[in-house]
Amino acid sequence: MKTFAVIGLGRFGSAIALELSALGHEVMAVDINEDKVQQVADKVTHAVTADARKLEVLQALGLRNFDCAVVAMGGDVGNSALVTLNLKELGIPKVVCKAQSHVHRKVLEKIGADRVIFPEYEMGQKVAQGLSSSNVLNFIEFSEDYGIVELAVPQSWQGKTLRELDVRNAYHVTIIALRGGEGGTLNVSPRADVPMREGDNVVALGRSEDINRISEVD
């Protein structure tokens, strides 16, 4: 079990706090709005009404002892930057921040955020990936250049093995897993001689432009 502090309980912050709690982690949810705090109070470990912009408040809450802090207050660049600076000063091992724009993300990265999430942009990319090809089932972006995609095995691949397809050389991506049928077992690092069948899914890692080429295969 890990310990998480989630600061800012809008839709994004509340969703993270509740999901982390449901996964069995210790979660402290913090917001300056008492109504928002009360909405999650009975579903997380601790729920506190406090002004996280003040370093002494974060110290009093004992946040220096948490494994990770999530700054989910994305409405004001100055406020989220100040809270991020305070958390870094406390020495929290990992600080994850929500950004509202590319400029906001750059600011947070400059002041030391360990990870910056731009939910609208990232979700837009995933939706676009799904819309661009009916084969794409899920897309996860690692960076602006690399990602992981799960997609239905193209018809032209069915009955062939990874060795026969030579996917790495042909498409410059790596097949890291094979899922047998919808909701089936995930076979991580499948053998090169395993034939792919209709209804199977492949999970591929590579550059976004190469992944797009795979998603267009018939």
Side-chain angles (χ1 to χ4, degrees):
M1 180 179 69
K2 293 183 178 181
T3 53
F4 293 88
V6 179
I7 301 171
L9 298 175
R11 286 177 295 179
F12 179 74
S14 295
I16 289 180
L18 295 177
E19 184 63 19
L20 286 171
S21 183
L23 290 171
H25 298 293
E26 181 179 336
V27 178
M28 176 181 285
V30 182
D31 198 285
I32 199 169
N33 186 313
E34 186 173 356
D35 290 337
K36 291 182 179 180
V37 172
Q38 290 303 316
Q39 289 174 11
V40 303
D42 60 344
K43 300 181 182 69
V44 299
T45 314
H46 307 285
V48 182
T49 304
D51 187 350
R53 295 171 298 180
K54 300 178 180 178
L55 179 60
E56 61 270 22
V57 169
L58 300 180
Q59 291 173 325
L61 292 175
L63 261 64
R64 67 171 66 251
N65 300 314
F66 281 67
D67 297 314
C68 176
V70 179
V71 181
M73 23 185 324
D76 185 288
V77 176
N79 286 340
S80 64
L82 178 58
V83 173
T84 301
L85 282 170
N86 287 339
L87 293 169
K88 295 301 293 185
E89 186 171 338
L90 287 176
I92 294 179
K94 188 172 185 179
V95 178
V96 179
C97 303
K98 173 189 175 183
Q100 292 282 56
S101 67
H102 293 291
V103 172
H104 191 179
R105 179 168 64 181
K106 288 182 179 180
V107 170
L108 294 170
E109 289 173 342
K110 287 290 186 182
I111 62 178
D114 298 286
R115 182 183 175 190
V116 180
I117 301 169
F118 190 172
E120 290 82 1
Y121 175 75
E122 293 176 13
M123 182 54 68
Q125 280 199 318
K126 291 181 181 180
V127 172
Q129 288 285 339
L131 293 174
S132 69
S133 171
S134 59
N135 287 339
V136 174
L137 304 175
N138 193 20
F139 178 80
I140 300 173
E141 182 189 29
F142 281 160
S143 69
E144 293 184 359
D145 296 323
Y146 284 87
I148 290 180
V149 67
E150 179 176 352
L151 70 159
V153 170
Q155 186 174 2
S156 60
W157 290 13
Q158 294 170 17
K160 298 180 180 178
T161 66
L162 292 176
R163 180 178 289 112
E164 290 173 324
L165 292 167
D166 196 15
V167 176
R168 182 173 295 178
N169 287 326
Y171 299 96
H172 308 295
V173 300
T174 302
I175 302 298
I176 60 175
L178 180 65
R179 190 188 301 278
E182 185 177 353
T185 302
L186 191 67
N187 178 10
V188 180
S189 296
R191 300 194 317 272
D193 59 353
V194 174
M196 285 178 274
R197 303 164 298 176
E198 181 179 1
D200 286 352
N201 300 332
V202 291
V203 182
L205 166 68
R207 293 176 63 88
S208 299
E209 60 189 62
D210 295 323
I211 285 176
N212 286 336
R213 290 175 57 216
I214 283 189
S215 69
E216 295 169 356
V217 176
D218 295 327

